[in-house]
Amino acid sequence: MASELRDMSKRLTTIIERVLEQIPVDLERFRNRDPFKTLVAVILSQRTSRENVRAALREFEKRFNSISDVASADIKSIGKAIKRAGLWRQKAPRIKMIAKQLLKMGGLEKILSLPYEEARKILSSMKGIGPKTADVYLMIMRRDPVFPIDTHIFRIMRRLGIADEKDDYEALRRKLESATPPKYRMQAHLALIEFGRTICKARSPRCQSCFLADICPYARRIRGFMKFSM
C-alpha cells in the first residue's frame, strides 16, 4: 500500500511538471480584477463555456455598475443580462441574493481581508457558491495557494488513475496540492483546465498526440482498442 501511494505521488508530480511545461498560462489577465464582477464571472462559469461567460459578463457590466445596483434590480433584468451564460433562471436569483448578503456583510473587501479558512467558510455558505467556487474566487483575487478541482480536472485525474470513485472534491484537492508547490498551484489549475479543453476532452480525446499518453491507463486502453479494431 505504501509503495502504491509513493508511485502515485511520483506519477502525479510528473503529470503536474509536464502540464506546467507544455501548457502556457497567462496569469497577468487576472490582476486588478473588480471583486464583485469577478465573483459573478466565477458563478457564471459554472457549466458553460468561456465564450458564453465573456459575452454574459460584458452584458452584465453594461447594465450594472455596483453590488447595490444588482441587489436592487429585479431578477428578470439580471437574467436577461446573463442569459448567454445559460442556466440564467437559477443563476439570476442567486446573484441577486448574494449581492444583498454582501451588502449586509459590508462588501467583498471585508471578506477578502479575512484568513483563507474564514473567507472560504463565509463564501461557501452562500447559495450558488460552494467550496469549489469559493476556492477559485480566492485563488484569482488573492492568489491563495489552493488547487480548485473542476469537471475537467476530475476527468483528467480519473483517466490518469490518480482519482478513484471514492474521491470527492476535497480528497482530490488534497492530492493535487500535495504534489504541487504553492506558488505553482494557480498556474497548474489553469493549465490542467486548458489541457482538458484541448487535449483530454470529454469526447474524442486526443490520446494519440497527448504528452501524458505514456503514463496514462486510459490512453493505453484507447490505443489498444484502435490497434485491435484496425
Side-chain angles (χ1 to χ4, degrees):
M1 184 69 175
S3 62
E4 289 179 5
L5 289 174
R6 283 195 298 271
D7 289 345
M8 185 181 72
S9 178
K10 185 177 179 181
R11 188 151 50 92
L12 182 51
T13 299
T14 299
I15 291 165
I16 297 297
E17 288 175 349
R18 289 192 193 179
V19 168
L20 286 172
E21 181 182 321
Q22 296 289 329
I23 308 290
V25 173
D26 177 20
L27 297 181
E28 289 301 312
R29 62 192 174 97
F30 294 101
R31 294 194 183 279
N32 303 316
R33 290 288 189 102
D34 176 89
F36 183 62
K37 289 176 182 176
T38 299
L39 181 59
V40 170
V42 175
I43 293 168
L44 293 180
S45 70
Q46 297 165 0
R47 297 170 65 183
T48 192
S49 68
R50 283 180 295 188
E51 292 72 22
N52 287 342
V53 172
R54 288 168 182 162
L57 193 60
R58 282 195 297 270
E59 189 61 32
F60 183 86
E61 290 174 336
K62 287 179 186 176
R63 292 171 179 263
F64 308 107
N65 295 315
S66 65
I67 296 178
S68 57
D69 284 351
V70 178
S72 61
D74 61 86
I75 293 174
K76 186 176 180 180
S77 65
I78 299 172
K80 188 175 181 180
I82 66 169
K83 193 170 185 179
R84 179 72 181 273
L87 298 176
W88 59 274
R89 288 185 177 86
Q90 292 81 28
K91 292 176 182 178
R94 289 175 183 175
I95 290 171
K96 178 180 172 68
M97 182 173 61
I98 288 168
K100 293 174 72 173
Q101 286 179 289
L102 289 172
L103 286 178
K104 289 181 182 179
M105 292 178 184
L108 274 166
E109 288 77 7
K110 186 174 181 179
I111 296 174
L112 289 170
S113 70
L114 297 171
Y116 165 71
E117 291 294 346
E118 290 182 50
R120 185 184 197 244
K121 184 177 180 180
I122 292 172
L123 290 169
S124 298
S125 69
M126 298 180 185
K127 188 174 181 180
I129 294 183
K132 179 252 181 178
T133 300
D135 281 342
V136 171
Y137 180 70
L138 293 171
M139 177 190 70
I140 291 172
M141 290 303 303
R142 305 196 311 194
R143 299 295 193 270
D144 280 357
V146 294
F147 205 129
I149 308 298
D150 79 332
T151 53
H152 291 290
I153 296 175
F154 256 116
R155 179 178 69 252
I156 293 163
M157 293 302 152
R158 286 194 184 105
R159 287 174 174 174
L160 286 162
I162 300 298
D164 57 40
E165 295 302 319
K166 296 181 292 184
D167 281 336
D168 59 8
Y169 176 88
E170 295 297 339
L172 187 54
R173 181 173 73 91
R174 286 193 295 270
K175 284 182 181 180
L176 268 67
E177 287 182 354
S178 70
T180 313
K183 67 178 180 178
Y184 294 123
R185 286 175 187 167
M186 181 174 180
Q187 184 181 349
H189 163 83
L190 296 169
L192 277 170
I193 291 174
E194 189 63 22
F195 174 68
R197 285 173 173 153
T198 59
I199 298 175
C200 195
K201 299 184 287 186
R203 295 183 180 181
S204 304
R206 295 167 52 196
C207 297
Q208 297 298 311
S209 58
C210 178
F211 55 83
L212 293 174
D214 61 311
I215 56 173
C216 179
Y218 181 86
R220 286 197 293 270
R221 289 198 299 272
I222 293 295
R223 285 179 169 181
F225 172 77
M226 291 179 69
K227 185 177 179 180
F228 178 78
S229 63
M230 291 171 67

